[in-house]
Amino acid sequence: MSSMNAKASSGDEEKLSGLRSKTMGDSNPLGEIKRGQVILVAYLIATLELTFLFMQMGVMPYLAKSLGLDSVGFGYLQTTFGVLQLVGGPIFGRFADQFGTRPALILSCASGSAFFLLMSISTSIPLLFLSRLPAVFMHGLPGAQKVITDLTTPSQRADALGKLGLCFGISIIIGSALGGVLSTKFGLFVPTYVGLVGNLINTVIAMVGIPLQAKPKSDHRVAEHGSVFSIREILRLMKFPGVMEVFIVKVFSGLPVGLFLIMFSIISMDFFGLEAVESGYLMSYFGVLQMVVQGLVVGKLTNHCTERTLLRLSVFVFAGVGIGMALMRTVWHYCIVLMPLVFAFSTLVTITDSILTKAVPSSDTGTMLGICASVQPLTRTVGPTIGGVLYKQFGVSSFGYLQLIVNMGLFVYLLKSKIPLREMKSH
């Protein structure tokens, strides 16, 4: 019965999406120019939050070491952060659906402030672990995605979401560099002070720059009754046509690469023989590639190809990446493999987010984006254990072979299955 209700609701939503594309300008309380400005503010908030997050990631190993935390303890610290983000993603999304995007972004930025405040006074290992706690509500990227989803038509969505990759790339480059410079020249705790002030500023930007009611009136529905923490309401979204299938592809297609990237700090030293500075250069290279691909290439492709085609293409390219990873022997090989890897990863993330937000009612897009945002924390949580076993027992090439096998299986599945998608291209 619930499956029938989901299909009926999805049918109603599809009609609503078609109406939305035509009448959005009339029904939206924001004008076209104002809508564009709000989306730019969302990009800014996401960029700042991610910059401060990458800044602390570069400093955290040294801070943990200075407090006497060994490598095993540091692994537990990272796992704690991953689990909190994993649990918090769907809850944050449901909060955004029930209370609005502005309160959700304010919550995210305020949580970031608390995160850096606790980190700045972490003079012991227990305090350092306690500083991870606010991470449960630090979800600026899904918050920005929610703003974009509310303010764009379905045909514009993939392009607009793809441009968030530009924000991500900028954040990797600036955040990593800023953390290194500040900690080296002024001390380990200075980046935490900068992160605290920056997140407070970000909170003000969210309060001033994001309207209380961003969603078009024609789309505004009363969210399902139930607690923000209701697991049943979160799992209900998986029953809509095509959602479970696309989500499975989203999780498993990039999982082997995700495991490899989690282990990369060790692989870069042991396998490639890189120094810390050279690893930093590789990270910047990765950031630039992500900026170019997700900020420019993906948007162009969505204008000319259907989302079904791009989903299949990203999985097929990921399979080819697996061959490259299995055969690579030097860091230069890795630099070449990174190009198709970033393309496939960026395309997969953007297209699946777009497909999944269209597959559920507009009153549930925040929850759906929160579920999507939990994929990376899930990889970070299980990654160190699974990745460590693969690397120690079978070597670097095992990540490539696993990537090839998983994605060839998913590609055949996508070719044969009839996943219901709303085929739309940007105009």
Side-chain angles (χ1 to χ4, degrees):
M1 184 70 180
S2 61
S3 179
M4 288 176 65
N5 290 337
K7 287 181 181 178
S9 180
S10 181
D12 293 341
E13 187 66 17
E14 190 153 2
K15 292 174 185 175
L16 183 65
S17 292
L19 182 64
R20 182 185 184 186
S21 298
K22 296 175 184 176
T23 63
M24 189 166 183
D26 298 328
S27 62
N28 199 318
L30 303 173
E32 187 68 34
I33 295 175
K34 178 67 174 175
R35 194 159 64 238
Q37 290 172 347
V38 173
I39 290 174
L40 286 175
V41 171
Y43 287 147
L44 175 63
I45 290 170
T47 302
L48 289 174
E49 183 162 317
L50 287 169
T51 297
F52 300 131
L53 199 59
F54 282 116
M55 182 178 69
Q56 71 85 31
M57 281 181 182
V59 174
M60 184 52 66
Y62 302 98
L63 181 58
K65 188 177 180 181
S66 72
L67 295 175
L69 198 65
D70 60 14
S71 58
V72 176
F74 183 68
Y76 291 145
L77 187 70
Q78 295 293 80
T79 300
T80 301
F81 183 83
V83 169
L84 287 168
Q85 288 257 293
L86 174 65
V87 171
I91 296 171
F92 176 84
R94 188 152 168 76
F95 179 90
D97 284 333
Q98 290 201 352
F99 299 101
T101 312
R102 183 166 76 176
L105 280 172
I106 291 171
L107 174 64
S108 177
C109 297
S111 298
S113 302
F115 177 85
F116 280 101
L117 176 62
L118 289 170
M119 199 171 154
S120 69
I121 59 171
S122 293
T123 52
S124 65
I125 292 174
L127 272 175
L128 192 62
F129 272 87
L130 184 64
S131 72
R132 308 292 92 180
L133 198 57
V136 73
F137 293 123
M138 287 170 57
H139 295 281
L141 188 61
Q145 289 175 320
K146 170 68 173 164
V147 173
I148 291 165
T149 301
D150 286 348
L151 296 179
T152 55
T153 62
S155 61
Q156 298 169 332
R157 189 169 300 167
D159 186 19
L161 289 173
K163 286 184 171 60
L164 272 172
L166 200 61
C167 306
F168 195 87
I170 291 169
S171 300
I172 290 177
I173 296 168
I174 297 177
S176 303
L178 193 61
V181 170
L182 290 175
S183 60
T184 303
K185 292 198 171 185
F186 304 104
L188 277 177
F189 283 98
V190 172
T192 65
Y193 304 143
V194 173
L196 171 59
V197 174
N199 273 279
L200 288 172
I201 293 171
N202 224 10
T203 306
V204 175
I205 293 172
M207 293 172 69
V208 175
I210 304 295
L212 193 59
Q213 164 68 14
K215 188 175 290 189
K217 290 176 183 174
S218 62
D219 268 13
H220 193 65
R221 296 181 180 182
V222 178
E224 294 280 334
H225 292 292
S227 168
V228 169
F229 302 96
S230 172
I231 301 297
R232 184 178 63 83
E233 290 298 335
I234 291 169
L235 294 178
R236 173 180 61 86
L237 301 186
M238 290 297 169
K239 297 176 182 176
F240 284 89
V243 170
M244 181 61 79
E245 294 93 330
V246 173
F247 189 74
I248 287 172
V249 172
K250 182 181 184 70
V251 171
F252 288 102
S253 183
L255 182 60
V257 162
L259 298 177
F260 172 82
L261 292 175
I262 283 170
M263 297 300 298
F264 186 73
S265 57
I266 295 172
I267 292 170
S268 65
M269 288 187 294
D270 295 350
F271 188 74
F272 293 130
L274 300 181
E275 300 291 334
V277 175
E278 295 167 325
S279 294
Y281 292 151
L282 263 186
M283 182 65 78
S284 297
Y285 172 61
F286 183 87
V288 170
L289 280 178
Q290 178 125 5
M291 283 170 59
V292 172
V293 172
Q294 215 168 338
L296 303 174
V297 178
V298 175
K300 298 287 185 185
L301 285 175
T302 57
N303 292 336
H304 300 95
C305 304
T306 64
E307 290 178 339
R308 186 188 301 274
T309 301
L310 290 176
L311 182 61
R312 289 171 176 170
L313 176 64
S314 61
V315 171
F316 183 73
V317 172
F318 251 150
V321 166
I323 298 173
M325 288 174 64
L327 298 177
M328 70 181 179
R329 295 292 178 268
T330 69
V331 70
W332 298 110
H333 293 162
Y334 177 63
C335 288
I336 294 169
V337 170
L338 259 184
M339 287 186 272
L341 188 157
V342 170
F343 169 79
F345 181 77
S346 300
T347 305
L348 181 80
V349 169
T350 302
I351 295 304
T352 51
D353 284 353
S354 178
I355 291 170
L356 290 169
T357 54
K358 293 175 190 176
V360 299
S362 60
S363 56
D364 290 313
T365 52
T367 307
M368 191 71 253
L369 287 167
I371 294 171
C372 291
S374 297
V375 173
Q376 284 189 327
L378 174 64
T379 306
R380 284 201 300 268
T381 302
V382 303
T385 304
I386 301 174
V389 170
L390 279 175
Y391 181 55
K392 284 186 177 181
Q393 298 295 324
F394 306 104
V396 172
S397 60
S398 62
F399 295 100
Y401 290 124
L402 183 61
Q403 180 74 11
L404 174 63
I405 294 167
V406 168
N407 281 276
M408 282 310 298
L410 289 173
F411 183 68
V412 172
Y413 169 70
L414 286 173
L415 286 178
K416 291 188 174 183
S417 67
K418 301 293 183 184
I419 300 174
L421 302 180
R422 292 182 197 158
E423 296 292 1
M424 291 188 182
K425 293 183 280 187
S426 299
H427 300 292

